Amino acid sequence: MGHRENPRPGGRSARVQAAVHQSVREMLAKMDRADVTIPLIAQRANVTPSTIYRRWGDLQELLADVAASRLQPEGEPARIGSAREDLEAWVEQYADEMASGVGRQMLRDVLATIDGTNAERCSGYTQQQLCVLIARAKENGESFPSLGELMDHLISPIIYRILFDQAFDAGYVRELVARVMRKSNA
Amino acid sequence: MGHRENPRPGGRSARVQAAVHQSVREMLAKMDRADVTIPLIAQRANVTPSTIYRRWGDLQELLADVAASRLQPEGEPARIGSAREDLEAWVEQYADEMASGVGRQMLRDVLATIDGTNAERCSGYTQQQLCVLIARAKENGESFPSLGELMDHLISPIIYRILFDQAFDAGYVRELVARVMRKSNA
DNA sequence: GCACAAAAGCAAATAATTTGCGTTAGTGAA
DNA sequence: TTCACTAACGCAAATTATTTGCTTTTGTGC
């Protein structure tokens, strides 16, 4: 949605995209989600409702687009020490963000659309972050789980618990890390 | 939604519940999901739209309710032989059903609502099935993973891949089983 | 700057959702 | 069984959201 490989005459204005996204973010912060409607978003963004309908289709798709944007990480995982320590710190923050009310709702928004593009996008961000950690481990010669192992046995359980409303704490996340590291050393 | 612990005078008619659910199932089978609206559902169910609005709130919640009902398993996992064989057979079918177009959509419907009740309900069904397998293993004296291990390292990765649009095959599921069994024997 | 094509604005038409009120139907007690 | 009671249902009007045809604006390549 952001870019366009082969821009033909008559492109979309970046103005609308930015104004609408910001409007959605502000409204989600201030009011109950059930009261967020396309006409209201349009009004705050100084845009016509029909523009939003034609561009995004419906509220769900717009929310999914905004949520996926917000789920994009700001930078690389922090450098603490060993790759394992970096992983522990990163995943703890990841789990916190995703388990928060806002994070959980963004996850749901992203998954609610028929079009899986935003879900893939979101999973892709996570995988990029993990790849950075894997590369660091490789540089240092540390043994480290593969991307597949991390996704299956660290990320998946966390996301499952968030989506299906099962509480967990930092100790649980640390155990998942310990388990996935143990396995990769075996 | 189905039951009511302390039924007070003036209960809900089971008629409406049944007719609306059936109407939704039929429409989802026959037409594009984007064309399924509450007025149409109401018409087919011989019910007034306002009844549906008052009872379920909106289309998403109704779809979530219907989806959760349909995700309820019909019976206990089949008895093949050892608990491990039973688990392999059961999880293969589980993964197939969930990964199918219908299954995937039901999962998304269940997760789309703010109210997590239906998601918990759905996860509960899975856990019940797994508990049956665990009990069988215990009877036979077979070593077997705990419920937590099965949820974290078998169910979660499968559901994650389905939700985030990442393909997998039967071999992948068998590997997950092998891994979770290996760990529980260690 | 010019020509072109895709978006955006506008407003009327359509469809969905909400709401007030009268009616029906399920429940517990006599 | 009947009665009193309360919640759910049906109906219709009012409100709000969505779609659509058409015009104007804006971004792009020449």
Side-chain angles (χ1 to χ4, degrees):
Chain A
M1 227 115 230
H3 316 282
R4 166 185 282 289
E5 3 267 330
N6 186 19
R8 272 166 286 168
R12 321 183 131 164
S13 83
R15 177 196 128 241
V16 170
Q17 156 92 3
V20 169
H21 271 235
Q22 190 190 335
S23 171
V24 170
R25 282 193 300 269
E26 287 172 7
M27 294 183 69
L28 286 178
K30 283 182 191 162
M31 46 200 291
D32 196 49
R33 120 174 270 88
D35 300 332
V36 175
T37 65
I38 286 187
L40 277 179
I41 294 166
Q43 187 176 24
R44 175 183 284 255
N46 279 313
V47 152
T48 302
S50 65
T51 296
I52 297 183
Y53 285 114
R54 282 203 242 250
R55 188 147 167 182
W56 280 278
D58 62 11
L59 184 61
Q60 279 201 348
E61 288 198 55
L62 172 56
L63 291 178
D65 185 33
V66 172
S69 297
R70 297 180 74 182
L71 286 168
Q72 179 162 26
E74 310 234 335
E76 294 202 342
R79 282 185 183 273
I80 314 281
S82 66
R84 172 173 179 158
E85 287 170 310
D86 288 5
L87 174 65
E88 270 186 339
W90 176 83
V91 78
E92 191 166 334
Q93 189 191 328
Y94 173 84
D96 272 1
E97 283 179 12
M98 292 303 195
S100 72
V102 182
R104 189 189 304 240
Q105 193 53 60
M106 288 194 296
L107 267 181
R108 295 195 161 164
D109 287 343
V110 154
L111 292 176
T113 57
I114 322 251
D115 172 21
T117 313
N118 284 311
E120 284 180 277
R121 211 174 128 196
C122 168
S123 178
Y125 293 147
T126 304
Q127 293 182 45
Q128 280 171 22
Q129 298 289 87
L130 290 173
C131 282
V132 171
L133 294 170
I134 291 169
R136 281 187 203 162
K138 196 170 180 185
E139 271 179 32
N140 305 351
E142 291 178 58
S143 109
F144 207 73
S146 69
L147 178 60
E149 286 171 325
L150 290 171
M151 293 304 293
D152 285 347
H153 302 291
L154 182 59
I155 302 300
S156 298
I158 291 171
I159 297 298
Y160 185 94
R161 292 206 169 214
I162 292 171
L163 289 176
F164 290 91
D165 263 341
Q166 285 159 305
F168 63 91
D169 56 16
Y172 169 76
V173 174
R174 275 195 294 274
E175 269 178 45
L176 287 176
V177 173
R179 186 180 157 129
V180 81
M181 294 296 297
R182 211 181 307 137
K183 200 73 190 183
S184 89
N185 290 335
Chain B
M1 224 116 226
H3 316 283
R4 168 184 279 290
E5 3 268 331
N6 186 18
R8 273 165 286 167
R12 321 183 130 165
S13 83
R15 177 194 127 242
V16 170
Q17 155 93 5
V20 169
H21 271 235
Q22 190 189 336
S23 171
V24 170
R25 282 194 299 270
E26 288 172 5
M27 293 183 69
L28 286 179
K30 283 183 192 163
M31 46 198 292
D32 196 49
R33 126 174 264 86
D35 300 331
V36 175
T37 65
I38 287 187
L40 276 180
I41 294 166
Q43 187 176 25
R44 175 183 285 255
N46 279 313
V47 153
T48 302
S50 66
T51 296
I52 297 183
Y53 286 114
R54 283 202 243 249
R55 187 146 169 183
W56 281 277
D58 61 12
L59 184 61
Q60 279 199 349
E61 288 198 56
L62 171 56
L63 291 178
D65 185 33
V66 172
S69 297
R70 298 180 73 182
L71 286 167
Q72 179 163 25
E74 311 236 334
E76 295 203 340
R79 284 185 183 272
I80 313 282
S82 66
R84 171 174 180 157
E85 288 170 310
D86 287 5
L87 174 65
E88 270 186 338
W90 176 83
V91 77
E92 190 166 335
Q93 188 190 329
Y94 174 85
D96 272 359
E97 282 178 15
M98 293 303 197
S100 73
V102 182
R104 188 187 305 240
Q105 193 53 59
M106 289 194 296
L107 266 181
R108 296 196 159 163
D109 287 343
V110 154
L111 292 175
T113 56
I114 322 251
D115 171 22
T117 312
N118 284 310
E120 284 180 277
R121 209 174 129 197
C122 168
S123 178
Y125 293 148
T126 304
Q127 293 182 45
Q128 280 171 22
Q129 297 289 87
L130 290 173
C131 282
V132 171
L133 294 170
I134 291 169
R136 281 187 203 164
K138 197 172 180 183
E139 271 178 33
N140 304 352
E142 292 178 58
S143 107
F144 207 73
S146 69
L147 179 60
E149 287 171 324
L150 289 171
M151 292 304 294
D152 285 349
H153 303 290
L154 181 58
I155 302 300
S156 298
I158 291 171
I159 297 297
Y160 185 94
R161 292 206 168 212
I162 291 171
L163 289 175
F164 291 91
D165 261 342
Q166 285 160 305
F168 63 91
D169 57 18
Y172 169 76
V173 174
R174 276 195 293 274
E175 269 179 43
L176 287 177
V177 173
R179 186 180 156 129
V180 82
M181 293 296 298
R182 213 180 305 137
K183 200 72 191 183
S184 88
N185 291 335

